[in-house]
Amino acid sequence: MKKRKNNSTVFDRLLNKLSRPKTLYALTLLFLLVWYPSSVIDGMRNSDQEEVKVRIPLKYKTHGIDVSHHNGDIDWDKVSSYSKHRSSVRFCFVKATEGVEFVDKRFQDNWLALGEKKIRRGAYHFFNPQTDPRLQALNYILNVDLEKGDLAPVLDWETLGYGRNRRQIVKSVGRWLEIIEKHYGIRPIIYTNKHIYLRYVRDNFPDYPLWISQYEVPQLEGYDLSQVYFWQHSMKGKLEGIESSVDFNVFMRDDFEIDRLTLR
């Protein structure tokens, strides 16, 4: 019998193979293997947008930033309209004071702008273990006027100074916290890193809400998470409206729990 000539083209035969169920399944699996690890790993999403170069923890709904004069002149109109990767700016901590007399030169402008844009705001004091905690508390009180809905005062504790033992440092920090709590009527938040947490905070300040800085990890480990409310997960964020890199944070609880940390 004479063999019938096959007039189908190479393209026709390729299309026929691609339409088979097994082939479609294999192509789908290959796509997932190639795409997924590069974009989502351990619950973190790598942004592929030029404006944002930071891994975003997807499991948390409430995202925010913290700023100081180091971030320069901020366009709060652009910041308030930012909504990339489900991480719109819902809160912002602003540097207010440091030591006994330093006041951040951009604090008032940033503070007022946050109020106008209805972004939940908080003010932090950079603690200097070498100087009188009473005068440091006074510096904060004289420059920070908190209103209903504002976040509790924050003690930024990331240095230990020199020539002071553990007992002296803990006593000094405790004094600042006591004065601030008495003045504003709300327990302050402690911002710190893992080293200071393990050596000073864990055993001496178990009742204070914490804001922890730890970078390049998928989740926080080694902390009493019942104390931790905020996590500063990156200091390399890029945000429309801010030219410099900016710290990115998440609120680690359900949205309604943030009210526990605000003035009423």
Side-chain angles (χ1 to χ4, degrees):
M1 181 182 292
K2 187 176 180 180
K3 189 174 181 179
R4 185 177 180 181
K5 186 177 180 181
N6 187 353
N7 294 319
S8 63
T9 65
V10 174
F11 177 77
D12 292 330
R13 293 194 293 273
L14 178 60
L15 188 61
N16 182 53
K17 288 183 178 181
L18 289 177
S19 64
R20 296 173 184 174
K22 288 185 178 180
T23 305
L24 289 174
Y25 174 79
L27 288 174
T28 302
L29 182 61
L30 179 62
F31 172 78
L32 290 174
L33 289 173
V34 172
W35 175 84
Y36 187 82
S38 66
S39 60
V40 179
I41 303 175
D42 297 327
M44 306 279 282
R45 176 176 291 279
N46 283 333
S47 168
D48 56 3
Q49 298 294 323
E50 183 178 354
E51 296 86 356
V52 185
K53 299 178 180 178
V54 60
R55 298 177 71 200
I56 304 294
L58 296 179
K59 64 184 292 186
Y60 303 109
K61 298 178 181 179
T62 307
H63 297 255
I65 59 175
D66 60 273
V67 300
S68 71
H69 66 279
H70 295 295
N71 296 105
D73 188 17
I74 297 174
D75 186 336
W76 288 106
D77 287 327
K78 290 184 178 180
V79 172
S80 62
S81 62
Y82 175 81
S83 58
K84 299 284 187 182
H85 300 295
R86 294 182 281 177
S87 57
S88 58
V89 177
R90 302 278 297 280
F91 65 87
C92 179
F93 289 107
V94 184
K95 182 174 183 178
T97 53
E98 178 178 338
V100 300
E101 57 184 14
F102 177 84
V103 180
D104 191 288
K105 64 183 181 180
R106 296 190 184 275
F107 170 65
Q108 286 299 331
D109 289 341
N110 288 333
W111 189 252
L112 293 174
L114 287 167
E116 292 174 357
K117 299 303 176 185
K118 306 301 181 183
I119 298 175
R120 195 183 294 270
R121 60 188 185 177
Y124 70 86
H125 173 83
F126 189 94
F127 189 73
N128 181 352
Q130 300 297 128
T131 58
D132 192 327
R134 297 168 299 179
L135 295 179
Q136 293 193 65
L138 181 62
N139 185 23
Y140 186 91
I141 290 169
L142 291 176
N143 289 286
V144 179
D145 183 18
L146 297 180
E147 301 175 355
K148 180 180 178 181
D150 290 337
L151 290 162
V154 178
L155 178 70
D156 180 354
W157 184 11
E158 47 187 300
T159 63
L160 299 173
Y162 55 90
R164 295 173 65 80
N165 60 40
R166 183 177 179 181
R167 183 187 62 82
Q168 291 172 323
I169 294 174
V170 168
K171 182 179 179 181
S172 184
V173 168
R175 187 65 178 131
W176 189 95
L177 294 170
E178 291 171 1
I179 294 171
I180 294 299
E181 182 174 356
K182 183 176 181 180
H183 178 79
Y184 291 100
I186 188 171
R187 183 157 291 177
I189 300 166
I190 298 175
Y191 166 92
T192 196
N193 53 51
K194 193 166 190 176
H195 171 70
I196 293 178
Y197 168 80
L198 292 175
R199 183 165 174 78
Y200 296 91
V201 176
R202 182 175 57 182
D203 296 330
N204 295 288
F205 303 100
D207 298 324
Y208 285 85
L210 301 180
W211 171 18
I212 297 296
S213 67
Q214 188 169 5
Y215 314 124
E216 306 301 330
V217 295
Q219 60 185 10
L220 290 179
E221 295 181 350
Y223 302 91
D224 178 0
L225 294 182
S226 66
Q227 265 189 279
V228 181
Y229 284 80
F230 296 95
W231 171 23
Q232 185 185 83
H233 60 85
S234 178
M235 58 180 179
K236 300 178 181 178
K238 292 295 184 181
L239 193 64
E240 294 178 9
I242 303 178
E243 293 186 3
S244 64
S245 296
V246 63
D247 297 332
F248 273 22
N249 304 268
V250 291
F251 181 66
M252 299 180 64
R253 309 295 185 88
D254 291 331
D255 286 353
F256 71 88
E257 292 192 63
I258 202 169
D259 291 335
R260 299 179 182 178
L261 304 178
T262 58
L263 271 71
R264 300 179 182 180

